[in-house]
Amino acid sequence: MSDDVEQMGPVDYLVVEFPGNRMTGEGFPLLVDLVDRGIIRILDLVFIRKDSDGSVAALELTDLGDEVDLTVFEGASSGLLGQDDIDEAGNALEPNSSAGILVYENVWAAPFARAMRRSGAQLVASGRIPVQDLLASLDMVEATP
C-alpha cells in the first residue's frame, strides 16, 4: 500500500451543497468524464442531508430519487470518510439542504508529485481561490485608474 501511496497524485475533497435538496444531476456526467479521461480518480463519494432540525444523515444513492441516475457512483468508497467527516460537512450546510462529499485524487498531477517526492520536496501550503474572490479582485484592478 505504501508503494501505491508513493505513486499517487495530490488528494483533495469538496463539499457541494444543494440548497433546498435540489440536486439536478447536471454536473454528474462531467464528473464521470473527468474520471474517464484519467484526470481524477474518485476515492470517496458520500451524499448527506441536513434536516430542518439540524440533524445530519448519510444517504444511500437510492434515497436521492429517480430524477438523477447515480448508479455509476455505486461503490465509490475507500473508507476514508467517517462519521466525524460527515458531521463536520453537515456543520457547513444550511438546514433543508443536501450535499455531496467528494474525495478525489488528482491523477493528472501524479507524475509531478512523484518527481517532487523523489527530489525531497514537500508541500508546505495549499489552497483554493474561490471564483467569486478572483472576480472581485479583477474588478478592483479594472476599477483602479
Side-chain angles (χ1 to χ4, degrees):
M1 178 68 171
S2 65
D3 192 40
D4 290 341
V5 171
E6 284 298 314
Q7 299 302 313
M8 288 181 70
V11 174
D12 287 326
Y13 74 93
L14 301 170
V15 178
V16 180
E17 181 180 41
F18 299 94
N21 297 307
R22 292 183 313 269
M23 187 182 313
T24 66
E26 181 179 350
F28 295 129
L30 300 170
L31 182 60
V32 170
D33 182 58
L34 292 172
V35 172
D36 288 346
R37 291 190 294 141
I39 295 171
I40 67 166
R41 177 171 59 125
I42 296 175
L43 301 176
D44 271 305
L45 179 60
V46 174
F47 292 95
I48 62 173
R49 178 180 57 232
K50 185 172 187 176
D51 292 327
S52 58
D53 65 2
S55 62
V56 176
L59 301 172
E60 297 295 324
L61 293 180
T62 55
D63 295 336
L64 298 172
D66 297 331
E67 297 91 36
V68 181
D69 181 13
L70 300 173
T71 55
V72 69
F73 298 114
E74 287 178 352
S77 176
S78 67
L80 288 172
L81 290 174
Q83 187 60 47
D84 54 336
D85 301 307
I86 291 169
D87 293 341
E88 187 174 336
N91 288 334
L93 300 180
E94 292 294 322
N96 294 316
S97 294
S98 55
I101 307 170
L102 175 66
V103 179
Y104 61 97
E105 175 192 0
N106 290 285
V107 177
W108 62 269
F112 176 71
R114 285 192 299 270
M116 293 297 98
R117 285 191 289 266
R118 282 193 305 270
S119 70
Q122 56 187 354
L123 182 65
V124 294
S126 179
R128 299 244 185 245
I129 301 171
V131 172
Q132 297 86 345
D133 293 350
L134 182 63
L135 293 174
S137 292
L138 291 173
D139 287 346
M140 283 184 12
V141 168
E142 287 179 6
T144 304

